[in-house]
Amino acid sequence: MTKLQEVLDEIALEAASATDRGAVAHYIPELAKVDPAHFGIAVALPDGQVLTAGNAETPFSIQSVSKVFTLSLALGKLGDSLWARVGREPSGNPFNSIVQLEQEKGRPRNPFINAGAIVIADLILSGHQPREAIGEIVRFIRYLADDDTILIDERVARSETAHGDRNASLAHFMRAFGSIDNPVDHVLGVYFHQCAIAMSCHQLARAGLYLASRGCNPLTGMQVVPVERARRINAIMLMCGHYDGSGEFAFRVGLPGKSGVGGGILAIAPGVASIGVWSPGLDTVGNSKLGTAALEQLTRRMEWSVFGA
Ligand code: GLN
């Protein structure tokens, strides 16, 4: 057995017996039903191998991890003109915060906080019906993972729509500043559906491989984004991917990463690996508690931190 497989097995064993697992997201009722006992991890390597441990094949709600993929898609459509609409600085605020938006006149700090991702959804939607934009996002993620079985969990999408007042406030507030072009309910429809995409750790690790491989997906040989863009997306993941926990994630794990309130994290070791990890219990800022601990162990033992061993 390789060292990597040994490390993954040990991490999964340790996670199985952890008692303090954090709390599942309650503000989306459908996510509150998920069993916090789950834990899965998958590591995709540039040669196409995928090593796994735990519940690595169980689909979960990717939530904000989707923001990496919609940013990649929107950059492909708009190029760098996208940056006129959204910044690329860490926010230092919770993912659903509204305070900075007023001071900064409706231009979100970065594409990974909710406000920024809602602007990205608006950009993808322009010129299409919501159904077409949602279809485009799902097709893009299937293409990245090279897996046509990836679906949207409609129950999660409905649950979030029914309890989406906070995101609706962000969207209306931004539309008042002219930051959103399309009708708010259409934009939110796209945003809630992208968050409700269900993927396993295995699928997530495969989908992220282009960011570990200079923008090229080694599974398909397709150049998904130019090499410079992959480097920049990684930079934004490192600085902004865990909201007001991004500094802590860099300190403990040392990799570009993007979390979601479903308990998933996509982490990238550039040139080395794409990692999908899932444990539904969250810490106080909404990032997977055991998922972060697992990545901390993995990078320490494999010496994968971008900051050195
Ligand atoms: N769909 C969630 C929301 O908008 C995504 C948040 C997250 O994963 N951090 O609140």
Side-chain angles (χ1 to χ4, degrees):
M1 197 192 299
T2 63
K3 175 177 178 191
L4 175 57
Q5 186 64 57
E6 240 168 69
V7 169
L8 294 178
D9 289 341
E10 282 172 28
I11 288 172
L13 202 64
E14 212 170 294
S17 61
T19 46
D20 186 2
R21 311 183 74 85
V24 296
H26 280 283
Y27 73 102
I28 302 173
E30 205 56 38
L31 294 184
K33 295 182 188 163
V34 178
D35 181 358
H38 289 294
F39 176 87
I41 187 163
V43 177
L45 303 173
D47 67 4
Q49 265 193 88
V50 182
L51 281 71
T52 66
N55 312 125
E57 309 297 337
T58 310
F60 59 88
S61 190
I62 65 167
Q63 294 295 315
S64 290
V65 181
S66 64
K67 296 171 183 175
V68 174
F69 305 129
T70 53
L71 174 64
S72 303
L73 183 63
L75 279 168
K77 286 170 169 279
L78 280 98
D80 285 338
S81 69
L82 177 146
W83 300 117
R85 302 282 296 269
V86 55
R88 41 181 193 252
E89 292 293 344
S91 70
N93 276 314
F95 62 85
N96 56 6
S97 171
I98 201 165
V99 287
Q100 242 162 19
L101 268 184
E102 177 159 35
Q103 278 159 358
E104 298 179 3
K105 304 197 168 27
R107 180 173 179 263
R109 267 285 170 104
N110 68 65
F112 292 157
I113 51 174
N114 286 12
I118 291 168
V119 166
I120 301 289
D122 180 56
L123 294 173
I124 293 173
L125 174 59
S126 284
H128 302 282
Q129 291 303 315
R131 185 189 300 269
E132 294 164 356
I134 294 165
E136 186 175 11
I137 294 168
V138 174
R139 277 195 302 281
F140 182 61
I141 291 178
R142 287 177 176 168
Y143 155 78
L144 293 177
D146 194 23
D147 187 334
D148 279 342
T149 67
I150 293 167
L151 297 170
I152 291 175
D153 185 334
E154 282 296 339
R155 280 169 314 158
V156 173
R158 273 198 300 275
S159 181
E160 193 168 1
T161 307
H163 296 84
D165 298 311
R166 182 101 188 190
N167 286 314
S169 308
L170 292 171
H172 280 291
F173 199 59
M174 288 191 289
R175 195 166 147 88
F177 280 106
S179 303
I180 299 273
D181 295 329
N182 295 285
V184 163
D185 56 334
H186 288 192
V187 179
L188 290 176
V190 175
Y191 174 73
F192 291 146
H193 280 81
Q194 78 177 60
C195 289
I197 291 171
M199 291 170 82
S200 66
C201 293
H202 189 151
Q203 290 167 328
L204 194 57
R206 284 166 59 99
L209 258 183
Y210 69 107
L211 294 170
S213 312
R214 303 169 62 86
C216 176
N217 184 344
L219 302 171
T220 57
M222 303 295 264
Q223 191 75 35
V224 178
V225 296
V227 57
E228 180 182 66
R229 186 165 292 160
R231 175 163 54 73
R232 288 174 159 178
I233 293 170
N234 284 332
I236 300 168
M237 288 172 74
L238 182 83
M239 299 305 294
C240 313
H242 284 71
Y243 319 108
D244 44 345
S246 298
E248 184 69 10
F249 189 81
F251 184 83
R252 288 177 57 191
V253 176
L255 294 179
K258 182 73 209 81
S259 65
V261 290
I265 302 176
L266 171 66
I268 304 297
V272 178
S274 164
I275 308 147
V277 62
W278 172 52
S279 172
L282 308 177
D283 63 16
T284 50
V285 292
N287 300 318
S288 174
K289 191 173 173 97
L290 294 187
T292 307
L295 290 168
E296 185 176 13
Q297 280 276 341
L298 181 66
T299 51
R300 190 175 56 76
R301 296 188 55 184
M302 299 306 294
E303 301 186 354
W304 280 355
S305 164
V306 296
F307 301 109

